[in-house]
Amino acid sequence: MILNRPARALANRWARTRFDPAAFGLVPRERLDPRAAGPETDPARRAERRRVAEAAHEGEWRTVAAHVRAAGADWDERWTRLEMLIHVAEGDDRWLTDWRTAEPADGDAGTVYAYLLVRRAWAVRGAAYARDVPEQDMRQFQAQLPAAMAAAQRAADLAPGDPGPWVVMITAARAMSYTHSQFSDLWRNLLHRAPHHAAAHWQALQYWCAKWHGTEELMLDFAELTVAGAPPGSILPGVYLHALDELRMPLRGARSAQRRAVLTDVAARLETVPAGHEDLPALRHRLARRLLEAGLHEASLEQFRRIGPYCGAAPWRDDPAGPAVAFDLARGRAAHGARKNR
């Protein structure tokens, strides 16, 4: 049951004054850790990324290229590696210029370059709503996008089976105000190459949300279909949690009831994701919050148990009271609801 305002105030008071975490299988307050969303799952992976980033800064583009190619056809992993390199290139792209000069037919180098152009254009625009972006900045932003799209199309020609360039294209397409038909053409091409690409689905969700070129109904339809079609072990169900973040108005009626069913499905599907997946802890935080808001207290409490002491994640880290306080209050409210239902 979703709480009305007086019931919510009562739950908050109980959580602040009577909630004993240990009684619900939760870690004590003094162990809460706001520094991270979860434990470090793979120190060797972080060390490898650092090594590759340092190689890029030293101009060793061959090391960079080998790192990307080693991902093979694991397209999510390959995109993760490309995205890391894009962050490196934003600070210093001389190694990328050398790579593209030495291997002009390399699709990975072309994809990094295309996405770098998109990121540079977005840096001019900023993250504000369109109405708040200075006209000159918006003109410069829009003027830079066609070159980024053209670079992504060239990268796609160089690597016909790689979905990476298409991820860049659907990102640019959103900024270039592609029609639904135009965007859907790009999307079909991407799905043909990688039907369960996590980053691609997040970018598509942004296209379909109301602040860009869709509506809340279209966005939720897309997110629900994504959950239903996600294979075991995939983090794709997390797309639905991001869709809920984009809502401008609370869900009502049939959509509200549907939310409970979808969240239950998301929770079950995330159980199939390998425990060491680096994106899983952040999704658990979002899921715990949304289950709580939907009145699924026991399910929310279970997510808090799995999260353990870590509270350095959205939505807690931006709370004015601080992440530990916000996190503890939320799990206290989950415990209050679960206690009443037992």
Side-chain angles (χ1 to χ4, degrees), residues 71-92:
D74 183 342
W75 299 123
D76 280 337
E77 175 61 22
R78 199 176 186 103
W79 181 258
T80 296
R81 297 184 182 199
L82 288 172
E83 199 164 39
M84 182 270 289
L85 294 174
I86 291 157
H87 286 294
V88 175
E90 285 179 313
D92 179 3

Side-chain angles (χ1 to χ4, degrees), residues 17-51:
T17 61
R18 300 179 61 186
F19 169 48
D20 176 12
F24 295 88
L26 300 168
V27 299
R29 293 183 179 91
E30 59 268 21
R31 284 183 51 203
L32 294 182
D33 185 351
R35 295 172 297 177
E40 184 176 10
T41 55
D42 193 346
R45 181 182 176 90
R46 187 172 69 173
E48 174 68 5
R49 288 175 177 169
R50 185 166 56 247
R51 182 186 69 83

Side-chain angles (χ1 to χ4, degrees), residues 40-328:
E40 184 176 10
T41 55
D42 193 346
R45 181 182 176 90
R46 187 172 69 173
E48 174 68 5
R49 288 175 177 169
R50 185 166 56 247
R51 182 186 69 83
V52 173
E54 289 172 354
H57 286 304
E58 293 170 3
E60 297 175 9
W61 62 265
R62 290 178 179 83
T63 299
V64 172
H67 178 66
V68 176
R69 291 165 188 159
D74 183 342
W75 299 123
D76 280 337
E77 175 61 22
R78 199 176 186 103
W79 181 258
T80 296
R81 297 184 182 199
L82 288 172
E83 199 164 39
M84 182 270 289
L85 294 174
I86 291 157
H87 286 294
V88 175
E90 285 179 313
D92 179 3
D93 66 348
R94 288 173 294 179
W95 59 272
L96 178 57
T97 300
D98 292 342
W99 184 10
R100 294 178 62 234
T101 301
E103 297 187 336
D106 188 281
D108 293 324
T111 301
V112 175
Y113 175 67
Y115 201 25
L116 180 61
L117 293 181
V118 173
R119 295 285 287 263
R120 285 175 173 168
W122 229 288
V124 172
R125 182 197 184 281
Y129 282 98
R131 64 176 180 269
D132 298 323
V133 177
E135 184 178 349
Q136 181 178 350
D137 291 348
M138 185 62 80
R139 282 200 305 268
Q140 185 178 348
F141 169 63
Q142 292 171 341
Q144 291 179 3
L145 291 168
M149 180 65 81
Q153 290 168 336
R154 285 195 297 272
D157 291 338
L158 295 172
D162 189 342
W166 296 90
V167 179
V168 180
M169 280 189 260
I170 65 169
T171 306
R174 167 162 51 102
M176 295 172 72
S177 299
Y178 270 38
T179 65
H180 291 183
S181 176
Q182 290 172 315
F183 184 86
S184 295
D185 284 343
L186 294 178
W187 187 240
R188 280 191 291 271
N189 272 284
L190 192 149
L191 292 184
H192 177 69
R193 292 160 173 81
H196 307 300
H197 198 291
H201 279 77
W202 188 89
Q203 291 293 347
L205 178 77
Q206 293 299 305
Y207 177 88
W208 291 114
C209 73
K211 69 184 180 185
W212 284 99
H213 307 298
T215 64
E216 297 201 337
E217 287 295 313
L218 288 172
M219 177 188 68
L220 288 170
D221 286 344
F222 174 81
E224 289 168 7
L225 285 171
T226 298
V227 173
S234 171
I235 62 166
L236 271 182
V239 165
Y240 184 73
L241 305 176
H242 290 289
L244 295 181
D245 290 342
E246 295 291 347
L247 291 174
R248 296 177 176 178
M249 298 292 292
L251 292 177
R252 302 189 185 281
R255 276 294 191 189
S256 180
Q258 175 75 354
R259 174 182 59 166
R260 293 166 63 88
V262 177
L263 284 172
T264 300
D265 192 17
V266 169
R269 289 173 181 272
L270 289 184
E271 287 306 304
T272 71
V273 177
H277 196 295
E278 63 183 342
D279 294 331
L280 183 57
L283 291 177
R284 286 201 186 280
H285 286 277
R286 293 180 183 274
L287 178 59
R289 175 199 183 190
R290 294 304 180 182
L291 288 167
L292 174 61
E293 290 176 346
L296 297 169
H297 300 106
E298 188 59 58
S300 176
L301 196 59
E302 180 58 27
Q303 293 303 315
F304 282 115
R305 292 190 188 104
R306 292 177 179 271
I307 290 167
Y310 302 98
C311 54
W316 331 113
R317 65 186 174 204
D318 296 326
D319 193 286
V325 172
F327 179 81
D328 189 52

